[in-house]
Short mmCIF file of all heavy atoms in Angstrom, two decimals:
data_model
loop_
_atom_site.label_atom_id
_atom_site.label_comp_id
_atom_site.label_asym_id
_atom_site.label_seq_id
_atom_site.Cartn_x
_atom_site.Cartn_y
_atom_site.Cartn_z
N TYR A 54 -8.09 21.44 7.50
CA TYR A 54 -8.19 22.85 7.14
C TYR A 54 -8.59 23.01 5.67
O TYR A 54 -9.22 24.00 5.29
CB TYR A 54 -6.85 23.56 7.39
CG TYR A 54 -6.61 23.90 8.84
CD1 TYR A 54 -5.64 23.22 9.58
CD2 TYR A 54 -7.33 24.90 9.48
CE1 TYR A 54 -5.42 23.51 10.91
CE2 TYR A 54 -7.12 25.22 10.81
CZ TYR A 54 -6.15 24.52 11.53
OH TYR A 54 -5.94 24.81 12.86
N SER A 55 -8.22 22.03 4.85
CA SER A 55 -8.55 22.08 3.42
C SER A 55 -9.98 21.63 3.14
O SER A 55 -10.43 21.68 2.00
CB SER A 55 -7.57 21.20 2.63
OG SER A 55 -7.66 19.85 3.06
N LEU A 56 -10.67 21.17 4.19
CA LEU A 56 -12.06 20.70 4.10
C LEU A 56 -12.21 19.47 3.19
O LEU A 56 -13.27 19.22 2.64
CB LEU A 56 -12.99 21.82 3.61
CG LEU A 56 -12.97 23.15 4.38
CD1 LEU A 56 -14.00 24.11 3.80
CD2 LEU A 56 -13.25 22.91 5.86
N THR A 57 -11.14 18.69 3.06
CA THR A 57 -11.19 17.52 2.18
C THR A 57 -11.52 16.23 2.93
O THR A 57 -11.89 15.23 2.32
CB THR A 57 -9.86 17.33 1.44
OG1 THR A 57 -8.80 17.28 2.40
CG2 THR A 57 -9.63 18.47 0.46
N GLN A 58 -11.35 16.24 4.26
CA GLN A 58 -11.64 15.04 5.05
C GLN A 58 -12.35 15.43 6.35
O GLN A 58 -12.00 16.43 6.97
CB GLN A 58 -10.35 14.30 5.41
CG GLN A 58 -9.71 13.54 4.26
CD GLN A 58 -8.44 12.86 4.71
OE1 GLN A 58 -7.37 13.46 4.74
NE2 GLN A 58 -8.54 11.60 5.09
N GLU A 59 -13.32 14.63 6.74
CA GLU A 59 -14.03 14.83 7.99
C GLU A 59 -14.23 13.49 8.65
O GLU A 59 -14.45 12.47 7.98
CB GLU A 59 -15.39 15.49 7.75
CG GLU A 59 -16.13 15.79 9.04
CD GLU A 59 -17.64 15.90 8.83
OE1 GLU A 59 -18.11 15.56 7.74
OE2 GLU A 59 -18.33 16.29 9.79
N MET A 60 -14.13 13.44 9.98
CA MET A 60 -14.37 12.19 10.69
C MET A 60 -14.55 12.45 12.19
O MET A 60 -14.29 13.55 12.68
CB MET A 60 -13.22 11.21 10.48
CG MET A 60 -11.89 11.65 11.07
SD MET A 60 -10.62 10.39 10.81
CE MET A 60 -9.20 11.17 11.56
N CYS A 61 -14.96 11.42 12.89
CA CYS A 61 -15.04 11.46 14.35
C CYS A 61 -13.62 11.40 14.91
O CYS A 61 -12.76 10.71 14.35
CB CYS A 61 -15.86 10.28 14.84
SG CYS A 61 -15.83 10.03 16.63
N CYS A 62 -13.36 12.10 16.00
CA CYS A 62 -12.00 12.13 16.52
C CYS A 62 -11.65 10.89 17.35
O CYS A 62 -10.48 10.66 17.66
CB CYS A 62 -11.75 13.39 17.35
SG CYS A 62 -12.59 13.41 18.95
N ASP A 63 -12.64 10.08 17.71
CA ASP A 63 -12.38 8.88 18.51
C ASP A 63 -11.94 7.74 17.58
O ASP A 63 -12.73 7.29 16.75
CB ASP A 63 -13.64 8.48 19.27
CG ASP A 63 -13.40 7.29 20.21
OD1 ASP A 63 -12.28 6.74 20.20
OD2 ASP A 63 -14.33 6.93 20.95
N PRO A 64 -10.69 7.25 17.70
CA PRO A 64 -10.22 6.15 16.83
C PRO A 64 -11.07 4.89 16.98
O PRO A 64 -11.14 4.08 16.05
CB PRO A 64 -8.79 5.91 17.31
CG PRO A 64 -8.38 7.16 17.99
CD PRO A 64 -9.64 7.70 18.61
N ASN A 65 -11.72 4.73 18.14
CA ASN A 65 -12.51 3.52 18.40
C ASN A 65 -14.02 3.80 18.37
O ASN A 65 -14.80 3.06 18.98
CB ASN A 65 -12.12 2.93 19.76
CG ASN A 65 -10.64 2.55 19.80
OD1 ASN A 65 -10.13 1.92 18.88
ND2 ASN A 65 -9.95 2.96 20.85
N CYS A 66 -14.40 4.83 17.66
CA CYS A 66 -15.81 5.20 17.53
C CYS A 66 -16.63 4.01 17.04
O CYS A 66 -16.22 3.29 16.13
CB CYS A 66 -15.92 6.36 16.54
SG CYS A 66 -17.56 6.64 15.89
N ILE A 67 -17.79 3.79 17.66
CA ILE A 67 -18.63 2.65 17.32
C ILE A 67 -19.13 2.73 15.88
O ILE A 67 -19.31 1.71 15.20
CB ILE A 67 -19.83 2.55 18.31
CG1 ILE A 67 -20.52 1.18 18.17
CG2 ILE A 67 -20.80 3.68 18.10
CD1 ILE A 67 -19.77 0.04 18.72
N ILE A 68 -19.34 3.94 15.38
CA ILE A 68 -19.80 4.12 13.99
C ILE A 68 -18.67 3.75 13.03
O ILE A 68 -18.88 3.03 12.05
CB ILE A 68 -20.25 5.57 13.73
CG1 ILE A 68 -21.25 6.03 14.81
CG2 ILE A 68 -20.85 5.70 12.34
CD1 ILE A 68 -22.49 5.18 14.91
N LYS A 69 -17.46 4.23 13.34
CA LYS A 69 -16.30 3.87 12.53
C LYS A 69 -16.09 2.36 12.52
O LYS A 69 -15.79 1.76 11.48
CB LYS A 69 -15.02 4.52 13.10
CG LYS A 69 -14.79 5.95 12.73
CD LYS A 69 -13.44 6.36 13.30
CE LYS A 69 -13.18 7.82 13.13
NZ LYS A 69 -11.90 8.22 13.78
N THR A 70 -16.23 1.78 13.70
CA THR A 70 -16.02 0.34 13.82
C THR A 70 -17.00 -0.44 12.95
O THR A 70 -16.64 -1.45 12.34
CB THR A 70 -16.15 -0.10 15.29
OG1 THR A 70 -15.20 0.61 16.08
CG2 THR A 70 -15.90 -1.60 15.43
N GLY A 71 -18.24 0.04 12.89
CA GLY A 71 -19.23 -0.60 12.03
C GLY A 71 -18.78 -0.60 10.57
O GLY A 71 -18.90 -1.62 9.86
N TYR A 72 -18.25 0.53 10.13
CA TYR A 72 -17.77 0.63 8.74
C TYR A 72 -16.52 -0.23 8.53
O TYR A 72 -16.34 -0.83 7.46
CB TYR A 72 -17.48 2.08 8.38
CG TYR A 72 -18.73 2.85 8.00
CD1 TYR A 72 -19.42 3.61 8.94
CD2 TYR A 72 -19.23 2.79 6.70
CE1 TYR A 72 -20.58 4.30 8.60
CE2 TYR A 72 -20.39 3.49 6.35
CZ TYR A 72 -21.06 4.23 7.29
OH TYR A 72 -22.20 4.90 6.96
N ARG A 73 -15.64 -0.29 9.53
CA ARG A 73 -14.45 -1.13 9.41
C ARG A 73 -14.83 -2.61 9.26
O ARG A 73 -14.27 -3.32 8.43
CB ARG A 73 -13.56 -0.95 10.65
CG ARG A 73 -12.78 0.34 10.68
CD ARG A 73 -11.99 0.44 11.96
NE ARG A 73 -11.42 1.76 12.15
CZ ARG A 73 -11.27 2.35 13.32
NH1 ARG A 73 -11.67 1.74 14.42
NH2 ARG A 73 -10.72 3.54 13.40
N LEU A 74 -15.76 -3.05 10.11
CA LEU A 74 -16.19 -4.45 10.04
C LEU A 74 -16.87 -4.74 8.70
O LEU A 74 -16.65 -5.80 8.09
CB LEU A 74 -17.12 -4.77 11.19
CG LEU A 74 -16.46 -4.94 12.56
CD1 LEU A 74 -17.50 -4.94 13.67
CD2 LEU A 74 -15.63 -6.22 12.61
N ALA A 75 -17.70 -3.82 8.24
CA ALA A 75 -18.36 -4.00 6.94
C ALA A 75 -17.34 -4.08 5.82
O ALA A 75 -17.46 -4.90 4.90
CB ALA A 75 -19.35 -2.87 6.69
N LYS A 76 -16.29 -3.23 5.90
CA LYS A 76 -15.23 -3.25 4.89
C LYS A 76 -14.45 -4.56 4.98
O LYS A 76 -14.06 -5.13 3.95
CB LYS A 76 -14.30 -2.06 5.12
CG LYS A 76 -13.18 -1.94 4.09
CD LYS A 76 -13.74 -1.73 2.70
CE LYS A 76 -12.64 -1.52 1.68
NZ LYS A 76 -13.17 -1.44 0.28
N LEU A 77 -14.22 -5.05 6.20
CA LEU A 77 -13.53 -6.33 6.40
C LEU A 77 -14.29 -7.45 5.69
O LEU A 77 -13.71 -8.23 4.93
CB LEU A 77 -13.42 -6.61 7.90
CG LEU A 77 -12.68 -7.87 8.36
CD1 LEU A 77 -12.11 -7.67 9.76
CD2 LEU A 77 -13.60 -9.09 8.38
N PHE A 78 -15.61 -7.52 5.91
CA PHE A 78 -16.40 -8.57 5.28
C PHE A 78 -16.39 -8.41 3.76
O PHE A 78 -16.29 -9.39 3.01
CB PHE A 78 -17.83 -8.55 5.80
CG PHE A 78 -17.95 -8.97 7.24
CD1 PHE A 78 -18.65 -8.20 8.15
CD2 PHE A 78 -17.35 -10.13 7.69
CE1 PHE A 78 -18.76 -8.58 9.48
CE2 PHE A 78 -17.45 -10.53 9.02
CZ PHE A 78 -18.16 -9.75 9.91
N GLU A 79 -16.48 -7.18 3.30
CA GLU A 79 -16.44 -6.92 1.85
C GLU A 79 -15.11 -7.39 1.27
O GLU A 79 -15.07 -7.98 0.18
CB GLU A 79 -16.63 -5.42 1.59
CG GLU A 79 -16.58 -5.04 0.13
CD GLU A 79 -16.60 -3.53 -0.08
OE1 GLU A 79 -17.26 -2.83 0.71
OE2 GLU A 79 -15.95 -3.05 -1.02
N ASN A 80 -14.02 -7.14 1.98
CA ASN A 80 -12.70 -7.54 1.51
C ASN A 80 -12.56 -9.06 1.41
O ASN A 80 -11.74 -9.57 0.65
CB ASN A 80 -11.61 -6.99 2.42
CG ASN A 80 -11.46 -5.49 2.31
OD1 ASN A 80 -11.85 -4.89 1.30
ND2 ASN A 80 -10.90 -4.85 3.32
N PHE A 81 -13.34 -9.77 2.22
CA PHE A 81 -13.33 -11.23 2.18
C PHE A 81 -14.47 -11.78 1.31
O PHE A 81 -14.82 -12.95 1.42
CB PHE A 81 -13.43 -11.80 3.59
CG PHE A 81 -12.13 -11.83 4.34
CD1 PHE A 81 -11.82 -10.84 5.26
CD2 PHE A 81 -11.20 -12.83 4.11
CE1 PHE A 81 -10.60 -10.85 5.95
CE2 PHE A 81 -9.99 -12.86 4.79
CZ PHE A 81 -9.70 -11.87 5.71
N SER A 82 -15.01 -10.91 0.46
CA SER A 82 -16.07 -11.28 -0.50
C SER A 82 -17.35 -11.76 0.18
O SER A 82 -18.07 -12.59 -0.36
CB SER A 82 -15.56 -12.37 -1.46
OG SER A 82 -14.41 -11.93 -2.16
N ILE A 83 -17.63 -11.23 1.38
CA ILE A 83 -18.88 -11.52 2.07
C ILE A 83 -19.87 -10.40 1.77
O ILE A 83 -19.57 -9.23 1.99
CB ILE A 83 -18.67 -11.61 3.61
CG1 ILE A 83 -17.64 -12.68 3.95
CG2 ILE A 83 -19.99 -11.89 4.30
CD1 ILE A 83 -18.04 -14.09 3.66
N LYS A 84 -21.05 -10.76 1.27
CA LYS A 84 -22.05 -9.75 0.91
C LYS A 84 -23.21 -9.76 1.91
O LYS A 84 -23.48 -10.77 2.55
CB LYS A 84 -22.58 -10.03 -0.50
CG LYS A 84 -21.51 -9.93 -1.58
CD LYS A 84 -22.08 -10.24 -2.95
CE LYS A 84 -21.00 -10.14 -4.03
NZ LYS A 84 -21.54 -10.46 -5.38
N GLY A 85 -23.88 -8.62 2.00
CA GLY A 85 -25.10 -8.54 2.80
C GLY A 85 -24.90 -8.23 4.27
O GLY A 85 -25.85 -8.29 5.04
N VAL A 86 -23.65 -7.91 4.67
CA VAL A 86 -23.41 -7.53 6.07
C VAL A 86 -22.86 -6.10 6.06
O VAL A 86 -21.66 -5.88 5.93
CB VAL A 86 -22.42 -8.49 6.77
CG1 VAL A 86 -22.31 -8.14 8.25
CG2 VAL A 86 -22.86 -9.93 6.59
N GLY A 87 -23.77 -5.13 6.18
CA GLY A 87 -23.39 -3.73 6.06
C GLY A 87 -23.02 -3.05 7.36
O GLY A 87 -23.07 -3.66 8.44
N PRO A 88 -22.65 -1.77 7.29
CA PRO A 88 -22.23 -1.01 8.48
C PRO A 88 -23.28 -0.98 9.58
O PRO A 88 -22.94 -1.05 10.76
CB PRO A 88 -21.97 0.39 7.93
CG PRO A 88 -21.69 0.20 6.48
CD PRO A 88 -22.53 -0.96 6.06
N ALA A 89 -24.57 -0.86 9.22
CA ALA A 89 -25.63 -0.78 10.23
C ALA A 89 -25.69 -2.07 11.05
O ALA A 89 -25.77 -2.04 12.29
CB ALA A 89 -26.98 -0.51 9.57
N THR A 90 -25.65 -3.21 10.37
CA THR A 90 -25.67 -4.50 11.07
C THR A 90 -24.43 -4.66 11.94
O THR A 90 -24.52 -5.09 13.10
CB THR A 90 -25.72 -5.66 10.05
OG1 THR A 90 -26.96 -5.59 9.33
CG2 THR A 90 -25.63 -7.01 10.75
N CYS A 91 -23.28 -4.30 11.39
CA CYS A 91 -22.02 -4.44 12.14
C CYS A 91 -22.02 -3.58 13.40
O CYS A 91 -21.62 -4.03 14.48
CB CYS A 91 -20.83 -4.08 11.24
SG CYS A 91 -20.56 -5.22 9.88
N SER A 92 -22.48 -2.33 13.27
CA SER A 92 -22.54 -1.44 14.42
C SER A 92 -23.51 -1.96 15.48
O SER A 92 -23.22 -1.94 16.68
CB SER A 92 -22.98 -0.03 13.99
OG SER A 92 -21.99 0.58 13.19
N MET A 93 -24.66 -2.46 15.02
CA MET A 93 -25.68 -2.96 15.94
C MET A 93 -25.16 -4.15 16.74
O MET A 93 -25.27 -4.17 17.98
CB MET A 93 -26.94 -3.36 15.15
CG MET A 93 -28.08 -3.88 16.00
SD MET A 93 -28.05 -5.67 16.31
CE MET A 93 -28.37 -6.31 14.66
N VAL A 94 -24.55 -5.12 16.05
CA VAL A 94 -24.06 -6.31 16.73
C VAL A 94 -22.91 -5.95 17.68
O VAL A 94 -22.89 -6.37 18.85
CB VAL A 94 -23.59 -7.38 15.72
CG1 VAL A 94 -22.92 -8.55 16.44
CG2 VAL A 94 -24.77 -7.87 14.90
N TYR A 95 -21.97 -5.16 17.19
CA TYR A 95 -20.81 -4.81 18.01
C TYR A 95 -21.22 -4.00 19.25
O TYR A 95 -20.75 -4.28 20.36
CB TYR A 95 -19.79 -4.03 17.18
CG TYR A 95 -18.48 -3.78 17.88
CD1 TYR A 95 -17.67 -4.84 18.29
CD2 TYR A 95 -18.04 -2.49 18.15
CE1 TYR A 95 -16.47 -4.62 18.93
CE2 TYR A 95 -16.84 -2.26 18.78
CZ TYR A 95 -16.06 -3.33 19.18
OH TYR A 95 -14.87 -3.10 19.83
N LYS A 96 -22.11 -3.04 19.05
CA LYS A 96 -22.57 -2.22 20.18
C LYS A 96 -23.31 -3.08 21.21
O LYS A 96 -23.09 -2.93 22.42
CB LYS A 96 -23.49 -1.12 19.66
CG LYS A 96 -23.95 -0.14 20.74
CD LYS A 96 -24.79 0.98 20.13
CE LYS A 96 -25.22 1.97 21.20
NZ LYS A 96 -26.04 3.08 20.63
N SER A 97 -24.15 -4.00 20.74
CA SER A 97 -24.90 -4.86 21.65
C SER A 97 -23.97 -5.78 22.45
O SER A 97 -24.18 -6.00 23.65
CB SER A 97 -25.90 -5.71 20.86
OG SER A 97 -26.87 -4.90 20.24
N LEU A 98 -22.94 -6.29 21.79
CA LEU A 98 -21.99 -7.16 22.48
C LEU A 98 -21.17 -6.37 23.50
O LEU A 98 -20.86 -6.88 24.58
CB LEU A 98 -21.07 -7.83 21.46
CG LEU A 98 -21.69 -8.99 20.68
CD1 LEU A 98 -20.79 -9.41 19.53
CD2 LEU A 98 -21.96 -10.18 21.60
N LEU A 99 -20.83 -5.12 23.18
CA LEU A 99 -20.10 -4.28 24.14
C LEU A 99 -20.97 -4.02 25.37
O LEU A 99 -20.48 -4.02 26.51
CB LEU A 99 -19.69 -2.96 23.49
CG LEU A 99 -18.52 -2.99 22.51
CD1 LEU A 99 -18.28 -1.60 21.93
CD2 LEU A 99 -17.25 -3.51 23.18
N GLN A 100 -22.25 -3.75 25.14
CA GLN A 100 -23.16 -3.52 26.27
C GLN A 100 -23.30 -4.77 27.12
O GLN A 100 -23.29 -4.70 28.35
CB GLN A 100 -24.52 -3.08 25.73
CG GLN A 100 -24.52 -1.68 25.10
CD GLN A 100 -25.82 -1.35 24.40
OE1 GLN A 100 -26.63 -2.23 24.09
NE2 GLN A 100 -26.03 -0.07 24.12
N GLN A 101 -23.42 -5.93 26.47
CA GLN A 101 -23.50 -7.21 27.19
C GLN A 101 -22.22 -7.46 27.97
O GLN A 101 -22.25 -7.98 29.10
CB GLN A 101 -23.75 -8.34 26.19
CG GLN A 101 -23.99 -9.70 26.80
CD GLN A 101 -25.39 -9.84 27.41
OE1 GLN A 101 -26.17 -8.89 27.37
NE2 GLN A 101 -25.67 -10.99 27.97
N ASN A 102 -21.11 -7.06 27.37
CA ASN A 102 -19.80 -7.21 28.01
C ASN A 102 -19.73 -6.40 29.30
O ASN A 102 -19.25 -6.89 30.34
CB ASN A 102 -18.70 -6.76 27.04
CG ASN A 102 -17.30 -7.04 27.56
OD1 ASN A 102 -16.91 -8.18 27.71
ND2 ASN A 102 -16.54 -5.98 27.81
N GLN A 103 -20.24 -5.17 29.25
CA GLN A 103 -20.22 -4.29 30.43
C GLN A 103 -21.13 -4.82 31.53
O GLN A 103 -20.80 -4.73 32.72
CB GLN A 103 -20.64 -2.87 30.04
CG GLN A 103 -20.43 -1.84 31.14
CD GLN A 103 -18.99 -1.77 31.61
OE1 GLN A 103 -18.08 -1.62 30.80
NE2 GLN A 103 -18.78 -1.88 32.92
N ILE A 104 -22.26 -5.40 31.14
CA ILE A 104 -23.19 -5.99 32.12
C ILE A 104 -22.50 -7.12 32.87
O ILE A 104 -22.60 -7.23 34.10
CB ILE A 104 -24.46 -6.51 31.41
CG1 ILE A 104 -25.31 -5.34 30.90
CG2 ILE A 104 -25.29 -7.40 32.35
CD1 ILE A 104 -26.48 -5.75 30.03
N LYS A 105 -21.75 -7.95 32.13
CA LYS A 105 -21.04 -9.06 32.76
C LYS A 105 -19.96 -8.56 33.71
O LYS A 105 -19.76 -9.10 34.81
CB LYS A 105 -20.41 -9.96 31.69
CG LYS A 105 -21.41 -10.89 31.01
CD LYS A 105 -20.71 -11.81 30.01
CE LYS A 105 -21.64 -12.91 29.56
NZ LYS A 105 -21.54 -14.13 30.33
N ILE A 106 -19.25 -7.51 33.30
CA ILE A 106 -18.20 -6.93 34.16
C ILE A 106 -18.82 -6.38 35.45
O ILE A 106 -18.30 -6.59 36.54
CB ILE A 106 -17.45 -5.82 33.40
CG1 ILE A 106 -16.61 -6.43 32.26
CG2 ILE A 106 -16.53 -5.04 34.35
CD1 ILE A 106 -15.96 -5.40 31.36
N ASP A 107 -19.94 -5.66 35.30
CA ASP A 107 -20.61 -5.08 36.47
C ASP A 107 -21.10 -6.17 37.43
O ASP A 107 -21.17 -5.95 38.65
CB ASP A 107 -21.81 -4.23 36.01
CG ASP A 107 -21.37 -2.98 35.26
OD1 ASP A 107 -20.19 -2.61 35.37
OD2 ASP A 107 -22.21 -2.40 34.53
#
Side-chain angles (χ1 to χ4, degrees):
Y54 282 109
S55 60
L56 306 183
T57 54
Q58 287 179 275
E59 183 203 10
M60 65 178 179
C61 170
C62 72
D63 185 355
N65 300 313
C66 163
I67 193 72
I68 309 302
K69 279 184 187 176
T70 302
Y72 279 95
R73 284 178 190 145
L74 285 167
K76 183 62 177 175
L77 182 153
F78 292 130
E79 179 187 325
N80 290 338
F81 279 99
S82 302
I83 302 292
K84 297 179 180 179
V86 186
T90 296
C91 293
S92 292
M93 181 271 292
V94 173
Y95 188 62
K96 184 177 181 180
S97 296
L98 284 169
L99 285 179
Q100 290 172 344
Q101 186 75 0
N102 187 66
Q103 190 57 52
I104 290 172
K105 283 183 168 266
I106 291 173
D107 293 342

